[in-house]
Amino acid sequence: RVCALSKKENEAAPACDVFKFDGCGLTKPFPDGKLALSACVNGDLVRWDLAKGKDPQTPTAKGGGSRINALAISTDGRLAATGGDDETVRLWDVLAMKPVSTLRGHKGMVTAVAFSPDGKVLLSAGEDRVIKSWDVQGELACADKFAAGRAFLDAGKPAEARNAFEEAVACRPAN
């Protein structure tokens, strides 16, 4: 339910809008207050335009199929992070509504994620009782290398793909 509050003592509050999307509950507002993001039990994300409802221009972002337990949005509103039952943390491009990186290292479901105020660090915690610190820019750079490798494979360039994949694997330290 999204409701506006009355600004004056004797003024009736405007009617509430109800945004409904089955299986989605955990919701966070974007820093600008115009949009919100909901995490769903099937691992998907839904972006809402708080003035209109579900954003008609952008499809729901398809996740990994695992329940999302934790959700955070970066202070610039460009990235989201989720933590799930599958022991992973995912970084999402919320403008394109696509997952961009899957971070592995927890030994139990991930129950909390948070960006640092400058957006450079992502913290995650889970049932394994471990707090992990992730370099956001480094993870995005690795994701770009993996994407380049996939593009080379699609273009029929296996040697270039191999080099890109090797660079991508090398850029990720063991967690």
Side-chain angles (χ1 to χ4, degrees):
R1 228 172 236 276
V2 176
C3 301
L5 298 176
S6 171
K7 303 240 191 259
K8 297 178 183 170
E9 186 176 328
N10 295 328
E11 181 181 80
C16 291
D17 293 322
V18 177
F19 300 143
K20 185 177 178 188
F21 203 80
D22 289 337
C24 300
L26 179 60
T27 301
K28 302 280 181 163
F30 277 67
D32 67 5
K34 295 177 183 175
L35 302 171
L37 200 62
S38 292
C40 307
V41 295
N42 64 357
D44 292 351
L45 291 180
V46 177
R47 186 170 71 198
W48 305 94
D49 179 325
L50 295 179
K52 300 176 198 166
K54 185 178 173 200
D55 186 340
Q57 304 297 338
T58 306
T60 300
K62 296 295 179 189
S66 174
R67 178 186 187 95
I68 295 174
N69 304 311
L71 172 65
I73 299 173
S74 63
T75 54
D76 65 5
R78 296 175 61 186
L79 294 173
T82 59
D85 280 357
D86 62 356
E87 304 179 355
T88 65
V89 174
R90 285 189 173 79
L91 281 175
W92 302 76
D93 176 335
V94 291
L95 301 177
M97 290 300 283
K98 293 182 181 178
V100 291
S101 187
T102 301
L103 313 175
R104 291 177 170 78
H106 282 284
K107 304 282 188 249
M109 73 173 70
V110 179
T111 56
V113 290
F115 285 97
S116 62
D118 64 7
K120 293 180 180 179
V121 176
L122 174 67
L123 297 176
S124 62
E127 287 190 338
D128 57 2
R129 301 172 134 201
V130 172
I131 297 173
K132 292 195 167 285
S133 176
W134 309 91
D135 170 17
V136 173
Q137 294 309 312
E139 291 299 333
L140 293 176
C142 290
D144 286 345
K145 290 176 184 183
F146 274 110
R150 285 191 299 272
F152 283 130
L153 275 180
D154 291 344
K157 299 179 178 180
E160 291 89 343
R162 180 183 172 145
N163 289 339
F165 286 134
E166 286 175 352
E167 286 178 20
V169 169
C171 81
R172 260 208 187 117
N175 252 336

